[in-house]
Amino acid sequence: IHHVGFGLNKPGGDNNHGATGSAKGCQTVSQKTAGCAWFNWVRAGDECWLKTRKGTRSKKKPGGVSGPRNCETGKYIFHL
């Protein structure tokens, strides 16, 4: 499941902040990006979508990971 809404658009673009190689990589980009509080990572296409907060709606995204900027060490929110 991915949480929809509240995209953190990069200058001149949408809120897809590019390839990161993994959900952990996307979370790292989230942690380094001012204003980001949530991320969605799409395995197919290796896309990292940043959010200003957790979306209020959700949609099924097989193989996707959705989570906060910071988690307890070693823990992720996986929705496969």
Side-chain angles (χ1 to χ4, degrees):
I1 293 175
H2 276 187
H3 298 278
V4 180
F6 309 107
L8 178 60
N9 291 348
K10 59 186 181 283
D14 58 18
N15 63 313
N16 181 357
H17 286 251
T20 60
S22 67
K24 178 62 179 161
C26 186
Q27 186 180 44
T28 298
V29 171
S30 171
Q31 292 167 345
K32 294 179 178 181
T33 304
C36 186
W38 198 266
F39 70 92
N40 291 332
W41 181 71
V42 182
R43 182 185 326 230
D46 188 16
E47 300 171 342
C48 181
W49 299 85
L50 301 187
K51 311 284 183 178
T52 57
R53 63 183 190 173
K54 181 180 176 180
T56 55
R57 296 178 292 123
S58 62
K59 66 179 179 179
K60 291 182 181 180
K61 199 67 154 176
V65 176
S66 187
R69 175 186 182 120
N70 294 299
C71 297
E72 293 179 42
T73 302
K75 294 186 179 181
Y76 294 93
I77 299 172
F78 286 102
H79 298 286
L80 302 176

